[in-house]
Amino acid sequence: AVWDSLTLELLRQASDPAASADLVVILMQEGLAHIFLVGKSVTTTRSRIEVSIPRKHGPAIAGYESALKKFFENVLQAFLKHVDFKVVRCAVIASSGFTKDQFHRHLLHEAERRQLRAIIENKSKIILVHTTSGYKHSLREVLDAPNVMNLIKDTKAAQE
């Protein structure tokens, strides 16, 4: 039997969620991040990053800064590994508080410093959204956010 190109493409997308996921969501809170790829019929967790971060108060402040930097670096590495902007049309960084803003700054700063073309050329596709937590159940909040809906309305993720 000979398979046509449409059927082969459907099979490829079904067997590799990353091939059809046109939305990536990074859900975070201090010390915890989940990276999800959202496609037409499937949402997959690509990475879970957990780093113990000491409190901001007292003598632990120095450890706090370095732990946060290490955490952001781990999230950045996972982002680079799992996000292909040839497929992904929108990346959402979501958190409660200021973690998303701090990570966004780190991401853009490191992209400039290391000349990470994929991020520099696609920074307009990266948006920030407020959520109640960095856990998986907050993914629905992200997908329901009006600015995300506007960006993904033409994508496969919207059909999900």
Side-chain angles (χ1 to χ4, degrees):
V2 178
W3 297 49
D4 65 0
S5 60
L6 263 166
T7 309
L8 287 171
E9 180 59 20
L10 273 171
L11 269 171
R12 189 180 70 79
Q13 287 183 4
S15 62
D16 178 14
S20 68
D22 44 16
L23 171 68
V24 66
V25 177
I26 304 174
L27 267 181
M28 35 186 358
Q29 61 189 45
E30 261 185 20
L32 175 70
H34 289 93
I35 297 182
F36 299 100
L37 289 178
V38 183
K40 182 166 77 180
S41 57
V42 68
T43 297
T44 54
T45 305
R46 294 313 272 188
S47 190
R48 177 189 163 102
I49 299 107
E50 214 165 348
V51 173
S52 151
I53 296 186
R55 295 177 196 254
K56 291 185 200 179
H57 312 293
I61 191 83
Y64 171 81
E65 292 295 326
S66 68
L68 199 60
K69 198 175 207 120
K70 178 181 166 215
F71 171 61
F72 285 162
E73 183 53 35
N74 291 351
V75 177
L76 173 62
Q77 289 307 319
F79 184 82
L80 293 172
K81 181 178 175 185
H82 296 294
V83 177
D84 176 3
F85 277 108
K86 290 182 197 82
V87 181
V88 169
R89 293 175 51 188
C90 176
V92 177
I93 303 170
S95 77
S96 58
F98 298 107
T99 310
K100 63 184 174 302
D101 308 287
Q102 290 172 298
F103 176 69
H104 188 240
R105 272 196 304 274
H106 177 80
L107 181 75
L108 298 180
H109 174 77
E110 290 300 312
E112 290 295 331
R113 195 172 71 79
R114 301 181 203 177
Q115 288 302 296
L116 304 172
R117 304 243 41 90
I119 294 172
I120 295 168
E121 291 165 8
N122 292 288
K123 60 183 172 192
S124 64
K125 294 181 180 179
I126 301 171
I127 62 168
L128 306 178
V129 174
H130 177 81
T131 59
T132 50
S133 84
Y135 290 96
K136 290 179 184 177
H137 62 263
S138 293
L139 188 59
R140 185 81 260 156
E141 292 173 54
V142 173
L143 298 177
D144 290 341
N147 53 342
V148 175
M149 284 309 285
N150 285 339
L151 269 173
I152 68 168
K153 65 178 178 277
D154 308 324
T155 66
K156 296 178 192 110
Q159 297 163 8
E160 166 84 332

